[in-house]
């Protein structure tokens, strides 16, 4: 079980590191509550930008958000990492996952619907209630006693379809929900199928919602064993060309190539490449718990700067307003 966790040094236990993470997290929470939160409340920062942070936002495990078009292997990728099924899992060639599923650690296996989940103070999802019942009916948390989930949590998103009709029929703002998760997760993984490289309108809008979080994005080209070496070279080039039209950054995105499911490779010509790429991706995921404290510090600094600028603007506007009675 969990063979990928022990292949590199990143899978070893680091009890001292976790203690340090808890200490830093407690310090950040104290600083936020004593210094930043009073400023946000005084200038109504929460009404203009982002809701207030709660204890669960500081204490939660690192989260990974999986985004991609339907049938690119998002749910199968989670099953490959966990090496077991989880409640609410549905896998098929057609669009199957129609909900946001938070896969988290729990002593007993079970699932919690969205309306009950957003009132749990121990979970970092309370602020999702503002997206309404249409979203909460499509949101759930799957809990199971899994070794991998002791250090990370995984968010599975609905498969993205093409066309304006699909965006309207969801009943909630899909891109706004993705943006909310993007601000709070530690890693965003975009999955592509080697046979479906076109980026639909909704997928393009979803990627644009991740602006400002470019350092969290990783790209996975899945099902790469279903094409030969020459076709794989062309597929990789086409993927980079498509991404370059959507993600306007001078840096090249890191793309991991492989076949992430528990089945033998259909084409073994590139076995060594796929194994090396898988190890790189697993090493990146294993490093998230050690980097969690740095990520929370970085996000808190960005939030404090935004709150400071907001306070200056509101103060100036208030000073320039004409005097009224009272």
């Amino acid at each position: 079980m969990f063979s990928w966790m022990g292949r590199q040094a990143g899978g070893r236990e680091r009890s001292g590191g976790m203690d340090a993470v808890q200490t830093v997290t407690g310090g950040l929470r104290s600083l936020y509550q004593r210094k930043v939160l009073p400023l946000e409340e005084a200038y109504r920062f929460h009404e203009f930008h982002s809701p207030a942070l709660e204890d669960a936002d500081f204490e939660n495990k690192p989260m990974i958000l999986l985004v991609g078009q339907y049938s690119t292997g998002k749910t199968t990728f989670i099953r490959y990492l966990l090496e077991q099924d989880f409640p609410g899992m549905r896998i098929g060639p057609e669009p199957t996952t129609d909900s946001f599923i938070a896969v988290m650690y729990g002593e007993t296996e079970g699932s919690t619907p969205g309306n009950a989940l957003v009132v749990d103070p121990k979970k970092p999802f309370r602020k999702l209630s503002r997206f309404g019942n249409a979203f909460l009916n499509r949101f759930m948390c799957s809990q199971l006693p899994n070794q991998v989930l002791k250090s990370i949590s995984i968010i599975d998103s609905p498969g993205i379809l093409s066309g304006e009709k699909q965006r309207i029929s969801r009943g909630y703002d899909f891109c706004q929900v993705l943006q909310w998760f993007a601000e709070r997760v530690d890693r965003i993984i975009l999955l592509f199928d080697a046979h479906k490289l076109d980026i639909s309108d909704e997928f393009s809008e979803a990627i644009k919602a991740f602006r400002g979080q470019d350092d969290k994005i990783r790209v996975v080209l899945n099902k790469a064993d279903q094409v030969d070496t020459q076709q794989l070279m062309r597929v990789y080039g086409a993927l980079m060309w498509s991404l370059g039209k959507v993600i306007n950054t001078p840096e090249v995105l890191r793309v991991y190539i492989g076949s992430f499911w528990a089945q033998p490779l259909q084409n073994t010509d590139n076995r060594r490449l796929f194994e090396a790429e898988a190890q790189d991706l697993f090493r990146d995921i294993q490093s998230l718990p050690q980097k969690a404290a740095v990520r929370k510090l970085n996000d808190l600094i960005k939030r404090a700067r935004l709150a400071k600028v907001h306070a200056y603007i509101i103060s100036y506007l208030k000073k320039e307003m004409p005097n009224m009675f009272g």
Side-chain angles (χ1 to χ4, degrees), residues 20-301:
V21 168
Q22 294 299 324
T23 304
V24 173
T25 300
L28 291 177
R29 181 174 65 246
S30 176
L31 279 174
Y32 174 75
Q33 293 174 349
R34 289 188 295 108
K35 302 293 185 180
V36 183
L37 184 58
L39 177 70
E40 294 180 352
E41 292 175 342
Y43 291 93
R44 299 188 178 183
F45 178 83
H46 308 143
E47 299 178 17
F48 288 89
H49 295 281
S50 178
L53 299 179
E54 299 181 343
D55 290 349
D57 293 313
F58 292 96
E59 297 171 356
N60 68 312
K61 300 181 181 69
M63 291 192 293
I64 300 173
L65 175 64
L66 296 180
V67 182
Q69 301 184 104
Y70 76 94
S71 192
T72 54
K74 296 186 298 298
T75 307
T76 306
F77 181 82
I78 298 176
R79 189 185 185 282
Y80 181 69
L81 292 182
L82 303 182
E83 297 188 0
Q84 70 175 102
D85 296 343
F86 58 89
M89 184 188 76
R90 292 175 57 205
I91 297 175
E94 76 283 2
T96 51
T97 303
D98 62 346
S99 305
F100 281 86
I101 302 177
V103 187
M104 310 182 77
Y105 180 82
E107 296 296 336
T108 58
E109 186 171 323
S111 61
T112 305
N115 285 285
L117 190 61
V118 295
V119 297
D120 186 355
K122 296 181 180 179
K123 296 288 191 299
F125 305 121
R126 297 184 66 183
K127 302 302 181 182
L128 283 170
S129 57
R130 67 186 179 94
F131 293 107
N133 283 330
F135 166 73
L136 296 179
N137 292 333
R138 299 292 183 184
F139 180 48
M140 63 176 292
C141 177
S142 295
Q143 294 180 313
L144 65 158
N146 187 284
Q147 189 71 22
V148 176
L149 298 177
K150 284 186 176 181
S151 55
I152 61 172
S153 300
I154 307 174
I155 311 295
D156 190 10
S157 64
I160 297 176
L161 306 175
S162 59
E164 183 72 17
K165 179 182 67 174
Q166 303 297 338
R167 179 164 32 197
I168 296 174
S169 64
R170 292 186 189 274
Y172 60 91
D173 196 328
F174 181 70
C175 292
Q176 284 291 325
V177 174
L178 287 179
Q179 186 176 8
W180 189 94
F181 277 112
E183 293 174 354
R184 288 157 178 82
V185 301
D186 295 73
R187 188 69 75 233
I188 302 169
I189 296 181
L190 305 178
L191 272 90
F192 288 88
D193 188 337
H195 295 92
K196 287 191 299 186
L197 297 179
D198 62 308
I199 299 178
S200 65
D201 296 339
E202 189 177 17
F203 198 11
S204 176
E205 292 296 323
I207 295 176
K208 290 177 181 177
F210 299 146
R211 250 174 214 159
Q213 315 292 339
D214 299 329
D215 57 320
K216 300 179 181 179
I217 297 178
R218 302 290 186 272
V219 179
V220 171
L221 179 58
N222 201 13
K223 305 181 183 180
D225 64 325
Q226 299 180 11
V227 296
D228 59 31
T229 304
Q230 184 181 18
Q231 292 172 336
L232 180 61
M233 180 186 68
R234 299 182 184 278
V235 165
Y236 179 80
L239 174 61
M240 298 303 292
W241 181 80
S242 299
L243 286 173
K245 296 168 63 178
V246 180
I247 303 178
N248 298 318
T249 57
E251 297 84 9
V252 178
L253 285 175
R254 179 66 169 95
V255 179
Y256 300 93
I257 304 173
S259 180
F260 297 94
W261 67 331
Q263 297 291 335
L265 296 177
Q266 296 186 18
N267 192 329
T268 59
D269 294 344
N270 300 306
R271 177 183 296 275
R272 293 181 62 185
L273 171 65
F274 296 157
E275 290 177 351
E277 291 285 285
Q279 286 302 313
D280 289 346
L281 177 59
F282 295 153
R283 199 177 297 116
D284 184 66
I285 294 175
Q286 289 167 2
S287 68
L288 291 180
Q290 282 72 45
K291 297 178 180 178
V294 178
R295 197 272 303 173
K296 291 174 182 176
L297 174 62
N298 184 51
D299 289 349
L300 184 60
I301 292 173

